[in-house]
Structures are given as C-alpha cells and as structure tokens.
C-alpha cells in the first residue's frame, strides 16, 4: 500500500530479528521509531538501546542527527530495515539542504529544533499534532515536527503543540517505560491525543508550505528572483535576525523600515527568553516566521525602497553579519551611494540663512511695506 508522504515513504512489512517486527511509517522520525520499536517489544527504550549498543548513552544525545555506519549496520541487521531507509528518517538530509555543513556542525543546527538535553531529560525540541496522533492506527511522531519552520499541521490546519497540555512539560517519549503507549506523557502519564488543537495562523502555514517546497525541490524565490535552497534559508535566517533586532528596539529606524515592507512587524513582541530561534516555543516562532514570509515575498526591490524611505545605514542592515545573503549584500554596498544621492538632492533646497541675512531681508520687506502704504 502506498501512503502519502513528504520526506520519506517508510517501509512495508519487515522481517526482523525482534520478536515483534516494527515497520517504519511514512515520514516517521528515526529516534521515535526506535522508541516505538522498544515499546512494541515490551521493553523500555533504554533497554533496547542497551541491547543494540552496549555502553552507548544513546538517549542523552540527539539521535536524529545521524549515527555512524557501524551502529547503523547493527540496527539494520536487528530491525530488518536497511541503513539507507533508516538514514532517510533522520534530520541530516534536510539539515544539509538548508545549509548545514556536517564537518563544521557543532552546537545547535540551524532550522532543527534543539532538544536541550540534560542526561535523558529534554527542554523541548519535539512538537506534535494531537489530531494526527489520534487518527493513527499506531500513533507515531513525524520527522517534520522537529523542523523549526514547522508550527502548524498542514493536514488539520491547527497549531502544533510542543508541551503536554496536562502538565506543561516537554514531550519526551525517550523516557517512556515499557508499559506506556507512544502518546503518553513521560512525566504525568496523560495522553497527549486528548490535547485541544487550536487553529493555525494562515500566514505561518503558508510560510511552512513554502519552506517545505524549497527544502524538497532545492530552490525557492526571493520576490521574483530564483534562489538556491541554501541561499533561501540563509535569507530567511537573516530576516529572523533582523526582526529580532527590530523588536528589541521597538521604535528604531530598522523597525520602521521593516514595517514599511510588512506592517505586521509592528505587532511582533520580543520572545520571553532571549534564546536562539531553535529553542523558542512554537507560538513565538510562528509570529516571526509570518513576517519572514512577508519579507521574502516582497523581494529586494521593496526592501530597497523602504531602506531609502527610512534613510537606513549599512550598519543597521548588516548587524555585524560576516556573510550576508547576496541580494542583501548588494543592497548594503549600494547604501553609501544612495546616501550621497540623497545629499545631492538635498543641496537643491535652500540652505538655512544666517541671522544677518534674515535681519537684512526683514528690513527690506518693512521698507517695501512702508512705500506701499
Ligand atoms: Zn494533524
Ligand atoms: Zn504531562
């Protein structure tokens, strides 16, 4: 049976060394499939991982960034699913399309939600749609619920959640115990399928769909200009940075300039925490992404007009970024010339008169008025 998928098709039935073979569902997230496989065998995820890879503290790291060949081959042998199929369920291929250079990658990966792991505990990083989980015959977590540009469920048109609605703690299926079901909260044992789903913001959903297309096709557009996926995501990241600068200084020229292009910028508020984008709650990311979508849709010409209208300088646009997206870099280099042409135009208006000239002209006017009367 072919099932709709976006990122990977998953597998059909599998033959496995495990007592209960567990197929990979379409778009299922690698680490969450491993949790589901453990629960299906009736063991804790910790026990299954210890059996596969003794002495490796799997659940303290972000398993979805990919694992080495040796460990992957062990898992492929045991599970009956080949290594390439399992790799396609990790976040690495998408992270590379969005600009990640694996050799240089350390710390937080751009566009991938950060787990904020401390031992096996997590501070966030995994979102869900309670309606998708409720509709699943065997509930499973989707790969795209870990992408930072995802804030909505495109199927149900609702906002994703990033916390358990019963206890407000992050979702941590990696800490579930053998008796639990996949949709249990590891903390309060509540079922997250019962969490109320709120309507998605149209603009956030539109941006999400657009970014998905860019990641899937390898190209997108800035206004009417075609750009490669890496440049598109770089541009989106640049606007995120610029928007966060603008909301920190609400009445700044930068804020006014961006609001000329997208009026909703003036309604944005700074995140409650100063954390990086990949650590922000879903709702806060959603607001910023809506504006990023509008700024990208407007294209470089509208930004250029706003820069001229608000007399922006190159420092405000650069914000000490060493590597600007090419369209922005051209605009920043153009600014000194724009300033000069403003000054030249300014010379055509009369310069302020000296006090003596004003007195002289006033005296002449009075003389004229006396003669006329
Ligand atoms: Zn859904
Ligand atoms: Zn809970």
């Amino acid at each position: 049976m072919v099932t709709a998928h976006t990122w990977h098709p998953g597998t059909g039935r599998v033959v496995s060394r495990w007592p209960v073979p567990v197929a990979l569902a379409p778009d299922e997230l690698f680490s969450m499939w491993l949790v589901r496989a453990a629960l299906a065998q009736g063991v804790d995820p910790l026990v299954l991982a210890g059996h596969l890879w003794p002495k490796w503290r799997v659940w303290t790291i972000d398993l979805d960034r990919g694992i080495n060949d040796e460990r992957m081959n062990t898992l492929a042998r045991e599970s009956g699913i080949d290594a390439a199929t399992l790799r396609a369920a990790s976040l690495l291929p998408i992270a590379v399309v969005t600009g990640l250079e694996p050799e240089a990658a350390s710390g937080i990966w751009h566009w991938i939600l950060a787990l904020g792991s401390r031992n096996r505990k997590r501070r966030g990083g995994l979102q869900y749609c309670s309606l998708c989980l409720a509709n699943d015959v065997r509930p499973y977590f989707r790969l795209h619920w870990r992408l930072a540009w995802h804030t909505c469920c495109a199927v149900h048109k609702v906002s994703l959640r990033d916390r358990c609605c019963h206890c407000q703690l992050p979702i941590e299926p990696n800490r579930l115990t053998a008796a639990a079901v996949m949709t249990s909260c590891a903390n309060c044992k509540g079922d997250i399928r019962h969490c109320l789903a709120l309507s998605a913001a149209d603009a956030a959903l539109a941006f999400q769909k657009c970014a998905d297309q860019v990641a899937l096709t390898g190209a997108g557009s800035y206004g009417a200009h075609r750009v490669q996926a890496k440049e598109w995501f770089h541009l989106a990241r640049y606007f995120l940075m610029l928007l966060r600068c603008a909301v920190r200084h609400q009445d700044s020229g930068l804020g006014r300039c961006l609001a000329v292009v997208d009026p909703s910028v003036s309604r944005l508020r700074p995140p409650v925490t100063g954390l990086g984008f990949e650590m922000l709650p879903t709702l806060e990311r959603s607001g910023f992404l809506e504006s990023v979508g509008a700024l990208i849709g407007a294209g470089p010409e509208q930004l250029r007009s706003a820069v001229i209208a608000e007399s922006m300088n190159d420092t405000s646009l650069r914000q000490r970024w060493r590597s600007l997206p090419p369209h922005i870099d051209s605009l920043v280099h153009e600014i000194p010339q724009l300033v000069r042409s403003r000054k030249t135009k300014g010379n055509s208006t009369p310069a302020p008169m000296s006090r003596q000239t004003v007195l002289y002209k006033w005296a002449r006017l009075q003389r004229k008025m006396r003669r006329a009367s």
Side-chain angles (χ1 to χ4, degrees), residues 214-279:
V214 177
L216 289 163
T217 60
S221 47
Y222 178 30
H225 305 263
R226 196 99 178 121
V227 294
Q228 293 300 301
K230 278 184 189 177
E231 188 186 334
W232 192 92
F233 280 98
H234 189 197
L235 192 63
R237 191 142 205 98
Y238 166 77
F239 282 132
L240 275 175
M241 175 278 295
L242 218 53
L243 286 164
R244 288 190 72 171
C245 288
V247 297
R248 268 202 301 273
H249 310 285
Q250 288 286 345
D251 206 25
S252 63
L254 180 61
R256 286 193 300 275
C257 172
L258 297 179
V260 168
V261 184
D262 172 30
S264 63
V265 168
S266 53
R267 291 198 298 275
L268 281 177
R269 292 291 167 264
V272 176
T273 64
L275 293 171
F277 183 70
E278 285 75 11
M279 287 186 272

Side-chain angles (χ1 to χ4, degrees), residues 16-38:
S16 163
R17 291 187 184 178
W18 290 336
V20 181
V22 179
L24 182 72
D27 289 339
E28 185 165 18
L29 180 65
F30 172 68
S31 65
M32 293 297 110
W33 162 80
L34 195 58
V35 170
R36 201 164 61 82

Side-chain angles (χ1 to χ4, degrees), residues 162-181:
D162 53 2
R163 297 201 157 233
C164 164
C165 62
H166 309 293
C167 68
Q168 305 307 322
L169 287 178
I171 305 302
E172 301 171 290
N174 59 302
R175 291 180 59 228
L176 288 173
T177 49
V181 292

Side-chain angles (χ1 to χ4, degrees), residues 18-99:
W18 290 336
V20 181
V22 179
L24 182 72
D27 289 339
E28 185 165 18
L29 180 65
F30 172 68
S31 65
M32 293 297 110
W33 162 80
L34 195 58
V35 170
R36 201 164 61 82
L39 300 184
Q41 315 309 314
V43 298
D44 293 1
L46 207 58
V47 172
L48 180 63
H51 163 74
L52 287 163
W53 309 294
K55 295 184 188 163
W56 188 35
R57 298 178 72 215
V58 178
W59 300 112
T60 62
I61 61 158
D62 188 346
L63 207 55
D64 295 310
R65 291 188 179 198
I67 61 176
N68 71 27
D69 289 349
E70 191 190 332
R71 284 168 177 156
M72 186 58 99
N73 291 337
T74 305
L75 180 58
R77 260 196 321 274
E78 294 276 319
S79 68
I81 299 176
D82 68 85
T85 304
L86 290 173
R87 280 217 166 79
S90 83
L91 296 165
L92 185 63
I94 301 173
V96 169
V97 171
T98 61

Side-chain angles (χ1 to χ4, degrees), residues 129-133 145 153-158 160:
C129 166
S130 50
L131 300 176
C132 280
L133 292 173
W145 290 345
C153 170
V155 178
H156 296 104
K157 313 276 187 288
V158 293
L160 296 177

